[in-house]
Amino acid sequence: MAKKYAMVHDNNLCIGCQACNVACRSENKIPESVYRLQVWVKQEEYPNGSLGYEYHRQSCVHCENTPCVSVCPTKASHVNEDGIVLVDNDLCVGCLYCVAACPYQARYVHPVTKAPDKCTFCHESRLSRGEEPACVTVCPTEALVFGDLNDPKSKINKVLSERVTYRQKERLGTQPKMYIVPNHKGGINS
Amino acid sequence: MNQIWGSMEQYNTVVWHWPIAVYLFLAGLSAGAIISAIVVKWMKGNDVSPWDGIIKAGAILAPVTIGAGLCLLIFDLTRPLMFWKLLIHYNFGSVMTIGVLALFAYMPVSILFLFGVFKKELAVDGPFKFLAPIADLALNYGKALEAITLVLAVGVGAYTGFLLSAMNSYPLLNTPVLPALFLASGVSAGISANLVVGLLFFTHSTKDANVSYLHGLDVKVIFAELFFIFILFVGMMYQGGATAHAGAAALGTGGLSTLLWVGVIGLGLLLPIGLNFALPHGVKHSHAFVIFNALIVLVGVLALRYYMLYAGQTFVG
Ligand code: SF4
Ligand code: SF4
């Protein structure tokens, strides 16, 4: 059966250390000044005056209903059989329609190929070797969980069954495969 | 770069820049020019050679402006040498593919129209004698071809709106009224460009009756545009939340909102309407005024495209 890869980012475990960001850069040889992945740290003040932090994983959320793929005129942007959204550089003309249409600002123009690039769940490297994405492996607090939604026994399905999660901008109907365990304090800004 | 996660330069929501605005303007103008030329051509007394100057103007403007627009578009791709892949790989769910196919059909029919209208200059006395059969084809099947051209032109004019409205990442663009607004303003630009070219370059063959007909039509289209812009923002307000926020910001923030109020609405829409009602009949129908009026309308339509593209990508709620 085809896989359906997804990820969980736990806002309570994340400490904003950027180890994932750095691991992604070295694994995927990301050129200087562009990023597939960042974790934005935002200070929050709760109603009782206490302070805390919110962590936002800024990367492709691997939508199931993909705006970027729908608009791509050449089908260069596509979803592979495992539910991972990819760009086929051989087909890309560089119209940047996908970059504009992505509601998550997940895509940037690769300075060398001039084609859009984005998180691939390390599909081309680690995943094909049977390893987890670099960000997941390196995370010191295990805030990231990766796995196959089609496998009832997978670790990610266990987490999704036990924890409250939400997805960003769900109102747009994109059905992201990036689930967020919200901070136990404060409100959720989806 | 002073945050620990690194440079945020790539997160600029403005992805498409001014060449796209100019392309959207030229595509709309091309469609509008050929639509208004065909409408004039179908009127009593205009359907035989020698053609009215308006028809000649439209026949030249339509292929030239769309050609120029497409060149701009191709050079604006980040991988311009790959553009041919657009012609052989299709995604029928993408407005861009639909646009490519519409343009694929629209280019040849607009060139046919040109050859029909300028048969004498191009194929009889001119350098394209070998294309005489094409010119004859355009003339013999004039009505049918023009009907097809009209439909395709409406498609080209509207698709530029759908291209932007298909993206739900931008609330100001993600609105059903955008294609109607772009089609209307494209028709307005086409009429104006036809009037300028007709009156300046084909002065003797441009009939006053056609000029005032088109000028009158333009005023009506401008009213429609104003109404569409009104609907667009009211619709955003009613949606509330981030969309209402984006709408309010787009109406009132920075240079872009000045461009909207002064350039698009003031200069491009209200001034032509105001002048049309305020000026005495004699002035209103002078060639100089019609040309002046057409030029401000053109500036207004270009401003509208520029505003929509930039404000749309800037104010995301
Ligand atoms: S987050 Fe953006 S790039 Fe990733 S699948 Fe969704 S629309 Fe495409
Ligand atoms: S930039 Fe490339 S991948 Fe993106 S929509 Fe255009 S052709 Fe498709």
Side-chain angles (χ1 to χ4, degrees):
Chain A
M1 194 162 108
K3 295 195 187 328
K4 193 164 151 188
Y5 284 124
M7 193 177 281
V8 168
H9 177 229
D10 191 329
N11 223 320
N12 301 288
L13 296 175
C14 183
I15 53 170
C17 69
Q18 312 297 326
C20 52
N21 175 340
V22 174
C24 169
R25 305 185 62 73
S26 78
E27 175 66 46
N28 298 301
K29 304 188 180 56
I30 307 294
E32 208 177 330
S33 79
V34 288
Y35 296 79
R36 283 186 181 182
L37 164 61
Q38 294 184 340
V39 174
W40 295 349
V41 185
K42 198 170 142 248
Q43 195 166 33
E44 287 285 313
E45 186 178 343
Y46 301 115
N48 67 0
S50 68
L51 298 176
Y53 289 101
E54 284 287 333
Y55 304 102
H56 164 77
R57 179 183 158 112
Q58 171 62 31
S59 74
C60 173
V61 298
H62 292 276
C63 306
E64 217 167 312
N65 191 0
T66 44
C68 56
V69 172
S70 322
V71 298
C72 176
T74 61
K75 296 195 175 155
S77 279
H78 64 281
V79 187
N80 83 353
E81 62 285 0
D82 296 333
I84 301 177
V85 179
L86 300 170
V87 181
D88 179 349
N89 281 359
D90 281 344
L91 288 179
C92 176
V93 298
C95 63
L96 307 192
Y97 205 177
C98 56
V99 179
C102 169
Y104 302 92
Q105 291 191 271
R107 293 171 169 243
Y108 60 88
V109 178
H110 192 286
V112 178
T113 65
K114 303 282 178 203
D117 191 45
K118 58 181 268 302
C119 162
T120 61
F121 279 161
C122 292
H123 152 87
E124 62 279 52
S125 51
R126 303 181 56 90
L127 220 49
S128 55
R129 300 196 296 264
E131 295 163 345
E132 295 196 305
C135 54
V136 177
T137 314
V138 80
C139 176
T141 62
E142 294 186 38
L144 296 171
V145 178
F146 177 77
D148 177 10
L149 294 178
N150 284 343
D151 171 7
K153 293 202 191 53
S154 63
K155 197 166 147 201
I156 188 165
N157 273 330
K158 185 166 180 291
V159 175
L160 291 176
S161 311
E162 292 171 354
R163 308 300 301 271
V164 174
T165 58
Y166 77 99
R167 299 175 290 177
Q168 290 160 25
K169 301 190 184 176
E170 262 183 290
R171 64 179 183 282
L172 298 178
T174 45
Q175 294 182 272
K177 292 198 288 291
M178 180 71 62
Y179 296 84
I180 297 155
V181 180
N183 198 326
H184 293 327
K185 291 175 266 179
I188 296 171
N189 297 314
S190 69
Chain B
M1 173 180 141
N2 45 16
Q3 56 284 328
I4 58 164
W5 50 89
S7 164
M8 293 180 74
E9 213 176 306
Q10 78 189 52
Y11 302 107
N12 187 346
T13 52
V14 182
V15 173
W16 282 341
H17 289 270
W18 66 266
I20 303 293
V22 178
Y23 164 72
L24 298 172
F25 169 73
L26 290 173
L29 192 161
S30 171
I34 209 157
I35 290 172
S36 49
I38 290 175
V39 167
V40 169
K41 190 161 180 271
W42 283 359
M43 293 194 320
K44 243 204 178 69
N46 291 340
D47 46 1
V48 283
S49 166
W51 307 112
D52 190 86
I54 300 283
I55 302 172
K56 292 184 187 164
I60 294 174
L61 280 167
V64 169
T65 49
I66 195 71
L70 285 174
C71 290
L72 205 60
L73 196 63
I74 289 169
F75 285 113
D76 195 54
L77 296 173
T78 59
R79 320 178 91 203
L81 296 178
M82 301 284 271
F83 89 95
W84 55 274
K85 302 233 167 173
L86 276 172
L87 308 176
I88 54 170
H89 294 280
Y90 305 127
N91 168 10
F92 293 102
S94 164
V95 180
M96 199 176 288
T97 290
I98 305 293
V100 167
L101 294 177
L103 290 166
F104 227 38
Y106 175 76
M107 278 303 287
V109 291
S110 69
I111 292 171
L112 266 181
F113 189 72
L114 174 73
F115 270 93
V117 171
F118 286 98
K119 180 182 171 192
K120 189 166 165 327
E121 291 81 351
L122 292 172
V124 177
D125 305 333
F128 299 103
K129 295 204 170 55
F130 63 100
L131 289 179
I134 301 240
D136 287 332
L137 181 87
L139 290 173
N140 294 340
Y141 297 95
K143 261 272 157 58
L145 278 170
E146 283 151 20
I148 296 171
T149 310
L150 207 57
V151 173
L152 287 168
V154 170
V156 167
Y159 118 85
T160 55
F162 284 113
L163 189 73
L164 301 184
S165 72
M167 298 185 282
N168 64 8
S169 43
Y170 300 121
L172 184 62
L173 304 177
N174 188 216
T175 150
V177 76
L178 199 64
L181 173 61
F182 274 18
L183 180 60
S185 67
V187 167
S188 177
I191 290 175
S192 302
N194 278 354
L195 288 172
V196 173
V197 172
L199 289 176
L200 286 181
F201 300 103
F202 305 109
T203 320
H204 299 299
S205 57
T206 304
K207 284 195 235 108
D208 279 345
N210 295 329
V211 171
S212 29
Y213 170 75
L214 277 190
H215 181 55
L217 185 63
D218 197 15
V219 174
K220 295 184 189 98
V221 176
I222 288 176
F223 271 110
E225 279 177 71
L226 271 175
F227 188 51
F228 288 148
I229 293 177
F230 180 71
I231 297 176
L232 190 151
F233 283 104
V234 170
M236 290 182 82
M237 295 310 152
Y238 288 168
Q239 287 190 56
T243 307
H245 250 115
L251 281 175
T253 324
L256 281 170
S257 69
T258 311
L259 180 69
L260 172 71
W261 291 109
V262 178
V264 179
I265 297 180
L267 183 77
L269 302 173
L270 293 180
L271 186 61
I273 293 178
L275 292 176
N276 188 56
F277 286 104
L279 291 177
H281 188 89
V283 182
K284 228 162 68 180
H285 289 265
S286 71
H287 287 183
F289 170 73
V290 172
I291 292 174
F292 169 75
N293 188 69
L295 288 175
I296 56 174
V297 169
L298 282 169
V299 171
V301 175
L302 181 59
L304 172 72
R305 296 295 196 276
Y306 187 93
Y307 169 80
M308 285 310 301
L309 188 75
Y310 278 91
Q313 295 179 98
T314 304
F315 303 109
V316 292

